[in-house]
Amino acid sequence: QVQLVESGGGWVQPGGSLRLSCAASGSIFSISHMYWYRQAPGKEREFVAVISRGGTTNYVGSVKGRFTISRDNAKNTVYLQMNSLKPEDTAVYYCKADKQGLEYWGQGTQVTVSS
């Protein structure tokens, strides 16, 4: 089993920044890719960013150039640096880990962007 705990969400004005963290614990050996997803009210959960164990990254088009995913394997933590935030970034952000064909999800952290 893998446990994921997100933190760092909150309220921010448009144009502001937040950094989300996702700490993994439990049976973390062989975790490969780690992801950030988000779900806005009334919408389906969508992919935001992914990072491989080796550091290869990919992003959804709407966040490219504004968000950066990073990973500290020694701390078993993945981060999402979010800059130039927009109201449409408002959502619950979830961390996901892939391990040997299984998926593990965190409980989510709320990000609200408004003036």
Side-chain angles (χ1 to χ4, degrees):
Q1 290 291 327
V2 175
Q3 293 80 44
L4 302 173
V5 178
E6 301 99 332
S7 61
W11 173 83
V12 64
Q13 291 185 333
S17 298
L18 284 174
R19 188 176 83 152
L20 306 183
S21 299
C22 172
S25 62
S27 182
I28 59 175
F29 184 75
S30 294
I31 289 177
S32 57
H33 294 74
M34 296 194 74
Y35 303 76
W36 287 99
Y37 282 74
R38 65 186 179 186
Q39 187 166 20
K43 295 187 177 182
E44 294 187 353
R45 192 172 297 188
E46 68 166 349
F47 164 81
V48 175
V50 60
I51 186 166
S52 71
R53 188 165 184 85
T56 301
T57 61
N58 197 15
Y59 301 89
V60 67
S62 59
V63 309
K64 282 184 179 178
R66 299 189 298 124
F67 291 11
T68 302
I69 188 171
S70 60
R71 180 171 180 167
D72 187 333
N73 290 329
K75 294 183 178 179
N76 303 314
T77 301
V78 65
Y79 304 96
L80 187 67
Q81 177 66 44
M82 305 186 294
N83 298 329
S84 302
L85 282 160
K86 304 175 181 180
E88 50 264 43
D89 295 317
T90 295
V92 178
Y93 283 70
Y94 297 90
C95 176
K96 187 186 82 165
D98 284 352
K99 177 185 171 180
Q100 297 174 328
L102 298 178
E103 296 181 347
Y104 298 89
W105 291 88
Q107 82 290 348
T109 185
Q110 176 71 46
V111 171
T112 302
V113 185
S114 73
S115 53

